[in-house]
Amino acid sequence: MKLLMSIKPKYWAKIVSGEKLIEFRRMVPKDLRPDVFYPVHQGKRTVVVYASAPTKKVVGELEINGVISQGMWNWHNICDRAGISFEEFIAYCGGDDKNVWGLSIGKVTVYDEPKTLQEAYPYIERPPQNFCYIRKENYMKAERVQKAIDTIDGEIAEVERLCEGEGPYTQHNVSECKSWANHLAQRLSLLKKHFENKEKL
């Protein structure tokens, strides 16, 4: 299963150039931590990169070759691969390197045509602050919910048309039409909340 990870554009540029070979994170998935990480877990090693502001695009992919444990740092051993200064590293980890993991970067792929998050993964509502899983099943569920939303939208439009006197049943069923429209609107509101919350999908 792929991961989606937000990276600042300046650091993505250094990753692409080969200057930055280690990506530092305060949090990594449990299955990528050294005690359970094995190279054979191919699905867990691919990271899709979202370049944050001002780029705000899905720009490429990278492979994780391994993870450096928290508190196992020797700056002199990694400084030539870090792509950041010692001051930046200390600022990021808050003065305590035990708060930070290091992702060892392997193959890097740059997309020819970067896409917005909505274009690339319409079922992911917002960019992750750190990372999130890209779940294909979420997309299938989101599609079904969206079709239901579209159907109810159409039903509401039809009921409103009848209530406005454009149909043959308006004189006898105005109150019923309005009641049904309210019912549909409530269903629509619930569906939209469900659709917008990727954790529930």
Side-chain angles (χ1 to χ4, degrees), residues 32-94:
L32 288 184
R33 295 176 186 178
D35 55 338
V36 294
F37 181 82
Y38 299 96
V40 295
H41 294 330
Q42 299 292 332
K44 298 295 185 181
R45 294 176 63 197
T46 302
V47 174
V48 177
V49 177
Y50 174 85
S52 56
T55 303
K56 297 184 178 180
K57 293 283 183 70
V58 178
V59 292
E61 298 181 7
L62 57 83
E63 289 183 356
I64 299 173
N65 288 336
V67 179
I68 303 173
S69 299
Q70 293 172 306
M72 299 297 291
W73 303 103
N74 183 325
W75 180 255
H76 296 292
N77 290 341
I78 65 171
C79 61
D80 60 336
R81 295 175 289 153
I84 60 175
S85 67
F86 180 69
E87 289 73 20
E88 288 177 303
F89 174 71
I90 293 299
Y92 179 73
C93 66

Side-chain angles (χ1 to χ4, degrees), residues 35-190:
D35 55 338
V36 294
F37 181 82
Y38 299 96
V40 295
H41 294 330
Q42 299 292 332
K44 298 295 185 181
R45 294 176 63 197
T46 302
V47 174
V48 177
V49 177
Y50 174 85
S52 56
T55 303
K56 297 184 178 180
K57 293 283 183 70
V58 178
V59 292
E61 298 181 7
L62 57 83
E63 289 183 356
I64 299 173
N65 288 336
V67 179
I68 303 173
S69 299
Q70 293 172 306
M72 299 297 291
W73 303 103
N74 183 325
W75 180 255
H76 296 292
N77 290 341
I78 65 171
C79 61
D80 60 336
R81 295 175 289 153
I84 60 175
S85 67
F86 180 69
E87 289 73 20
E88 288 177 303
F89 174 71
I90 293 299
Y92 179 73
C93 66
D96 185 358
D97 59 12
K98 293 181 180 180
N99 292 330
V100 180
W101 301 83
L103 307 182
S104 178
I105 299 170
K107 180 182 177 182
V108 176
T109 301
V110 179
Y111 293 161
D112 293 332
E113 298 182 5
K115 296 181 179 180
T116 65
L117 185 61
Q118 183 62 31
E119 291 171 337
Y121 303 105
Y123 49 93
I124 298 179
E125 182 182 359
R126 61 178 63 87
Q129 289 186 342
N130 191 347
F131 67 87
C132 69
Y133 289 102
I134 299 174
R135 304 179 189 274
K136 291 183 178 180
E137 61 269 26
N138 283 4
Y139 183 54
M140 296 170 63
K141 291 179 181 179
E143 277 191 325
R144 290 197 294 269
V145 173
Q146 185 60 62
K147 287 180 180 178
I149 289 174
D150 293 341
T151 298
I152 294 177
D153 272 334
E155 291 178 357
I156 290 176
E158 177 63 15
V159 170
E160 290 176 343
R161 185 183 69 82
L162 293 173
C163 290
E164 291 173 358
E166 298 180 13
Y169 308 107
T170 303
Q171 297 301 320
H172 304 287
N173 299 301
V174 170
S175 61
E176 287 84 354
C177 286
K178 290 183 177 180
S179 177
W180 182 239
N182 290 333
H183 172 71
L184 291 175
Q186 291 175 2
R187 285 175 54 197
L188 179 61
S189 177
L190 291 174

